[in-house]
Short mmCIF file of all heavy atoms in Angstrom, two decimals:
data_model
loop_
_atom_site.label_atom_id
_atom_site.label_comp_id
_atom_site.label_asym_id
_atom_site.label_seq_id
_atom_site.Cartn_x
_atom_site.Cartn_y
_atom_site.Cartn_z
N LEU A 303 -26.57 -3.36 7.13
CA LEU A 303 -26.62 -4.60 6.37
C LEU A 303 -25.69 -4.55 5.16
O LEU A 303 -24.97 -5.52 4.88
CB LEU A 303 -28.06 -4.88 5.91
CG LEU A 303 -29.09 -5.16 7.01
CD1 LEU A 303 -30.48 -5.30 6.41
CD2 LEU A 303 -28.72 -6.41 7.81
N GLU A 304 -25.69 -3.41 4.47
CA GLU A 304 -24.81 -3.25 3.31
C GLU A 304 -23.34 -3.35 3.69
O GLU A 304 -22.50 -3.80 2.91
CB GLU A 304 -25.08 -1.90 2.64
CG GLU A 304 -26.43 -1.80 1.96
CD GLU A 304 -26.73 -0.39 1.49
OE1 GLU A 304 -25.87 0.50 1.69
OE2 GLU A 304 -27.83 -0.17 0.94
N GLN A 305 -23.02 -2.95 4.90
CA GLN A 305 -21.64 -2.97 5.37
C GLN A 305 -21.26 -4.29 6.04
O GLN A 305 -20.17 -4.41 6.60
CB GLN A 305 -21.41 -1.79 6.32
CG GLN A 305 -21.52 -0.43 5.64
CD GLN A 305 -21.38 0.74 6.60
OE1 GLN A 305 -21.42 0.58 7.83
NE2 GLN A 305 -21.23 1.94 6.05
N GLY A 306 -22.16 -5.27 5.98
CA GLY A 306 -21.84 -6.60 6.47
C GLY A 306 -22.30 -6.90 7.88
O GLY A 306 -22.03 -7.99 8.40
N GLU A 307 -22.99 -5.98 8.51
CA GLU A 307 -23.52 -6.22 9.85
C GLU A 307 -24.68 -7.21 9.79
O GLU A 307 -25.46 -7.21 8.84
CB GLU A 307 -24.02 -4.90 10.45
CG GLU A 307 -24.53 -5.00 11.87
CD GLU A 307 -23.42 -5.16 12.88
OE1 GLU A 307 -22.33 -4.62 12.63
OE2 GLU A 307 -23.64 -5.81 13.91
N SER A 308 -24.80 -8.08 10.78
CA SER A 308 -25.90 -9.06 10.81
C SER A 308 -26.82 -8.77 11.99
O SER A 308 -26.37 -8.52 13.11
CB SER A 308 -25.35 -10.48 10.94
OG SER A 308 -26.43 -11.40 11.07
N TYR A 309 -28.12 -8.81 11.70
CA TYR A 309 -29.14 -8.73 12.74
C TYR A 309 -29.95 -10.03 12.79
O TYR A 309 -31.01 -10.08 13.42
CB TYR A 309 -30.08 -7.56 12.47
CG TYR A 309 -29.47 -6.19 12.71
CD1 TYR A 309 -28.87 -5.48 11.67
CD2 TYR A 309 -29.49 -5.60 13.97
CE1 TYR A 309 -28.30 -4.23 11.88
CE2 TYR A 309 -28.93 -4.35 14.19
CZ TYR A 309 -28.35 -3.67 13.15
OH TYR A 309 -27.80 -2.43 13.37
N ALA A 310 -29.45 -11.07 12.13
CA ALA A 310 -30.17 -12.34 12.05
C ALA A 310 -30.41 -12.92 13.44
O ALA A 310 -29.51 -12.93 14.29
CB ALA A 310 -29.38 -13.33 11.20
N GLY A 311 -31.63 -13.36 13.68
CA GLY A 311 -31.97 -14.00 14.94
C GLY A 311 -32.12 -13.06 16.12
O GLY A 311 -32.27 -13.52 17.25
N THR A 312 -32.09 -11.76 15.87
CA THR A 312 -32.20 -10.79 16.96
C THR A 312 -33.54 -10.05 16.91
O THR A 312 -34.26 -10.10 15.91
CB THR A 312 -31.07 -9.74 16.90
OG1 THR A 312 -31.25 -8.90 15.75
CG2 THR A 312 -29.70 -10.41 16.83
N THR A 313 -33.85 -9.39 18.00
CA THR A 313 -35.02 -8.52 18.06
C THR A 313 -34.54 -7.08 18.01
O THR A 313 -33.67 -6.68 18.79
CB THR A 313 -35.82 -8.75 19.35
OG1 THR A 313 -36.25 -10.11 19.40
CG2 THR A 313 -37.05 -7.84 19.40
N VAL A 314 -35.10 -6.30 17.09
CA VAL A 314 -34.67 -4.93 16.85
C VAL A 314 -35.87 -4.00 16.98
O VAL A 314 -36.93 -4.24 16.38
CB VAL A 314 -34.06 -4.76 15.45
CG1 VAL A 314 -33.57 -3.33 15.24
CG2 VAL A 314 -32.93 -5.77 15.22
N ALA A 315 -35.73 -2.95 17.77
CA ALA A 315 -36.73 -1.89 17.84
C ALA A 315 -36.16 -0.65 17.15
O ALA A 315 -35.00 -0.30 17.38
CB ALA A 315 -37.10 -1.58 19.28
N ILE A 316 -36.97 -0.03 16.31
CA ILE A 316 -36.56 1.20 15.63
C ILE A 316 -37.59 2.28 15.95
O ILE A 316 -38.78 2.10 15.68
CB ILE A 316 -36.47 1.03 14.10
CG1 ILE A 316 -35.52 -0.12 13.74
CG2 ILE A 316 -36.00 2.33 13.46
CD1 ILE A 316 -35.43 -0.37 12.24
N THR A 317 -37.14 3.37 16.52
CA THR A 317 -38.04 4.49 16.77
C THR A 317 -38.17 5.34 15.52
O THR A 317 -37.16 5.81 14.98
CB THR A 317 -37.53 5.36 17.93
OG1 THR A 317 -37.47 4.58 19.12
CG2 THR A 317 -38.47 6.54 18.17
N VAL A 318 -39.39 5.51 15.05
CA VAL A 318 -39.67 6.48 13.99
C VAL A 318 -40.39 7.63 14.68
O VAL A 318 -41.47 7.47 15.22
CB VAL A 318 -40.47 5.85 12.83
CG1 VAL A 318 -39.58 4.89 12.07
CG2 VAL A 318 -41.72 5.11 13.29
N THR A 319 -39.76 8.78 14.68
CA THR A 319 -40.06 9.80 15.67
C THR A 319 -41.21 10.75 15.36
O THR A 319 -41.82 11.31 16.27
CB THR A 319 -38.80 10.65 15.91
OG1 THR A 319 -38.24 11.04 14.65
CG2 THR A 319 -37.75 9.86 16.68
N GLY A 320 -41.52 10.97 14.06
CA GLY A 320 -42.56 11.93 13.74
C GLY A 320 -43.31 11.56 12.48
O GLY A 320 -42.80 10.84 11.60
N HIS A 321 -44.54 12.03 12.35
CA HIS A 321 -45.41 11.67 11.24
C HIS A 321 -44.98 12.36 9.95
O HIS A 321 -44.49 13.48 9.96
CB HIS A 321 -46.85 12.07 11.57
CG HIS A 321 -47.87 11.33 10.77
ND1 HIS A 321 -48.10 11.58 9.44
CD2 HIS A 321 -48.72 10.33 11.12
CE1 HIS A 321 -49.05 10.77 9.00
NE2 HIS A 321 -49.45 10.00 9.99
N GLY A 322 -45.21 11.68 8.83
CA GLY A 322 -44.85 12.22 7.54
C GLY A 322 -45.61 13.48 7.15
O GLY A 322 -45.12 14.28 6.35
N LEU A 323 -46.79 13.68 7.71
CA LEU A 323 -47.55 14.88 7.39
C LEU A 323 -46.91 16.14 7.96
O LEU A 323 -47.32 17.26 7.62
CB LEU A 323 -48.99 14.75 7.91
CG LEU A 323 -49.84 13.69 7.19
CD1 LEU A 323 -51.21 13.58 7.85
CD2 LEU A 323 -49.98 14.01 5.71
N LYS A 324 -45.90 15.98 8.79
CA LYS A 324 -45.15 17.13 9.31
C LYS A 324 -44.44 17.90 8.18
O LYS A 324 -44.26 19.11 8.28
CB LYS A 324 -44.09 16.65 10.31
CG LYS A 324 -44.63 16.09 11.60
CD LYS A 324 -44.94 17.19 12.59
CE LYS A 324 -45.19 16.65 13.98
NZ LYS A 324 -45.34 17.72 14.97
N ASP A 325 -44.01 17.17 7.16
CA ASP A 325 -43.20 17.79 6.11
C ASP A 325 -43.50 17.12 4.78
O ASP A 325 -42.71 16.31 4.28
CB ASP A 325 -41.71 17.67 6.46
CG ASP A 325 -40.81 18.42 5.47
OD1 ASP A 325 -41.34 19.02 4.53
OD2 ASP A 325 -39.58 18.37 5.65
N THR A 326 -44.63 17.47 4.20
CA THR A 326 -45.01 16.84 2.93
C THR A 326 -44.20 17.38 1.75
O THR A 326 -44.00 16.66 0.77
CB THR A 326 -46.51 17.05 2.66
OG1 THR A 326 -46.80 18.45 2.68
CG2 THR A 326 -47.35 16.34 3.71
N ALA A 327 -43.73 18.60 1.86
CA ALA A 327 -42.97 19.18 0.74
C ALA A 327 -41.71 18.38 0.46
O ALA A 327 -41.41 18.03 -0.69
CB ALA A 327 -42.62 20.64 1.04
N THR A 328 -40.96 18.04 1.50
CA THR A 328 -39.75 17.25 1.31
C THR A 328 -40.08 15.84 0.85
O THR A 328 -39.38 15.27 0.01
CB THR A 328 -38.93 17.21 2.62
OG1 THR A 328 -38.63 18.54 3.02
CG2 THR A 328 -37.64 16.44 2.43
N ALA A 329 -41.16 15.28 1.39
CA ALA A 329 -41.55 13.92 1.01
C ALA A 329 -41.84 13.81 -0.47
O ALA A 329 -41.54 12.78 -1.11
CB ALA A 329 -42.77 13.49 1.82
N LEU A 330 -42.38 14.86 -1.06
CA LEU A 330 -42.79 14.81 -2.46
C LEU A 330 -41.71 15.28 -3.43
O LEU A 330 -41.90 15.21 -4.64
CB LEU A 330 -44.06 15.63 -2.66
CG LEU A 330 -45.31 15.09 -1.97
CD1 LEU A 330 -46.47 16.06 -2.13
CD2 LEU A 330 -45.68 13.70 -2.49
N GLU A 331 -40.58 15.76 -2.89
CA GLU A 331 -39.48 16.16 -3.77
C GLU A 331 -38.98 14.97 -4.58
O GLU A 331 -38.86 13.87 -4.08
CB GLU A 331 -38.31 16.71 -2.95
CG GLU A 331 -38.50 18.13 -2.46
CD GLU A 331 -37.28 18.64 -1.71
OE1 GLU A 331 -36.23 17.97 -1.75
OE2 GLU A 331 -37.39 19.70 -1.06
N GLY A 332 -38.71 15.21 -5.83
CA GLY A 332 -38.17 14.14 -6.67
C GLY A 332 -39.23 13.31 -7.37
O GLY A 332 -38.91 12.50 -8.25
N PHE A 333 -40.49 13.47 -6.94
CA PHE A 333 -41.56 12.76 -7.63
C PHE A 333 -41.96 13.56 -8.87
O PHE A 333 -41.85 14.79 -8.90
CB PHE A 333 -42.78 12.60 -6.72
CG PHE A 333 -42.65 11.46 -5.74
CD1 PHE A 333 -41.99 11.64 -4.53
CD2 PHE A 333 -43.18 10.22 -6.03
CE1 PHE A 333 -41.88 10.61 -3.62
CE2 PHE A 333 -43.07 9.17 -5.13
CZ PHE A 333 -42.41 9.37 -3.93
N GLY A 334 -42.45 12.87 -9.86
CA GLY A 334 -43.04 13.54 -11.01
C GLY A 334 -44.44 13.99 -10.64
O GLY A 334 -44.71 14.32 -9.48
N PRO A 335 -45.36 13.98 -11.59
CA PRO A 335 -46.74 14.32 -11.27
C PRO A 335 -47.27 13.41 -10.16
O PRO A 335 -47.09 12.19 -10.21
CB PRO A 335 -47.48 14.08 -12.59
CG PRO A 335 -46.43 14.19 -13.64
CD PRO A 335 -45.18 13.66 -13.02
N VAL A 336 -47.91 13.99 -9.15
CA VAL A 336 -48.40 13.18 -8.04
C VAL A 336 -49.71 12.49 -8.37
O VAL A 336 -50.13 11.57 -7.68
CB VAL A 336 -48.58 14.04 -6.76
CG1 VAL A 336 -47.25 14.54 -6.28
CG2 VAL A 336 -49.54 15.20 -7.01
N VAL A 337 -50.36 12.91 -9.44
CA VAL A 337 -51.58 12.25 -9.92
C VAL A 337 -51.21 11.44 -11.16
O VAL A 337 -50.60 11.95 -12.10
CB VAL A 337 -52.67 13.29 -10.27
CG1 VAL A 337 -53.89 12.60 -10.87
CG2 VAL A 337 -53.05 14.09 -9.04
N ASP A 338 -51.56 10.15 -11.15
CA ASP A 338 -51.15 9.27 -12.23
C ASP A 338 -51.96 9.48 -13.51
O ASP A 338 -51.45 9.24 -14.61
CB ASP A 338 -51.27 7.80 -11.79
CG ASP A 338 -50.23 7.46 -10.73
OD1 ASP A 338 -49.05 7.76 -10.95
OD2 ASP A 338 -50.61 6.90 -9.69
N ALA A 339 -53.20 9.90 -13.38
CA ALA A 339 -54.03 10.07 -14.57
C ALA A 339 -55.24 10.92 -14.24
O ALA A 339 -55.67 10.98 -13.09
CB ALA A 339 -54.47 8.72 -15.11
N VAL A 340 -55.78 11.57 -15.26
CA VAL A 340 -57.05 12.28 -15.14
C VAL A 340 -57.98 11.68 -16.19
O VAL A 340 -57.64 11.62 -17.38
CB VAL A 340 -56.88 13.79 -15.39
CG1 VAL A 340 -58.24 14.50 -15.31
CG2 VAL A 340 -55.92 14.40 -14.38
N VAL A 341 -59.15 11.19 -15.74
CA VAL A 341 -60.06 10.49 -16.65
C VAL A 341 -61.46 11.07 -16.57
O VAL A 341 -61.79 11.80 -15.63
CB VAL A 341 -60.11 8.97 -16.32
CG1 VAL A 341 -58.72 8.36 -16.41
CG2 VAL A 341 -60.71 8.74 -14.94
N ASP A 342 -62.27 10.72 -17.55
CA ASP A 342 -63.68 11.07 -17.49
C ASP A 342 -64.36 10.25 -16.41
O ASP A 342 -63.81 9.24 -15.94
CB ASP A 342 -64.35 10.81 -18.85
CG ASP A 342 -63.84 11.76 -19.93
OD1 ASP A 342 -63.47 12.91 -19.57
OD2 ASP A 342 -63.79 11.35 -21.10
N ALA A 343 -65.55 10.65 -16.04
CA ALA A 343 -66.27 9.98 -14.94
C ALA A 343 -66.90 8.69 -15.43
O ALA A 343 -68.14 8.54 -15.51
CB ALA A 343 -67.33 10.92 -14.36
N GLU A 344 -66.06 7.72 -15.77
CA GLU A 344 -66.50 6.43 -16.30
C GLU A 344 -65.70 5.31 -15.65
O GLU A 344 -64.48 5.42 -15.47
CB GLU A 344 -66.28 6.38 -17.82
CG GLU A 344 -67.05 7.44 -18.59
CD GLU A 344 -66.64 7.48 -20.06
OE1 GLU A 344 -65.64 6.80 -20.40
OE2 GLU A 344 -67.31 8.18 -20.84
N VAL A 345 -66.39 4.23 -15.33
CA VAL A 345 -65.74 3.07 -14.69
C VAL A 345 -64.64 2.52 -15.59
O VAL A 345 -63.53 2.20 -15.13
CB VAL A 345 -66.77 1.98 -14.36
CG1 VAL A 345 -66.07 0.70 -13.89
CG2 VAL A 345 -67.74 2.46 -13.30
#
Side-chain angles (χ1 to χ4, degrees):
L303 294 176
E304 291 172 1
Q305 294 176 348
E307 183 74 32
S308 175
Y309 288 94
T312 69
T313 300
V314 182
I316 305 178
T317 299
V318 290
T319 48
H321 201 287
L323 292 176
K324 292 277 192 174
D325 186 1
T326 56
T328 303
L330 294 175
E331 282 183 10
F333 280 84
V336 294
V337 176
D338 291 310
V340 178
V341 302
D342 292 329
E344 299 171 350
V345 172

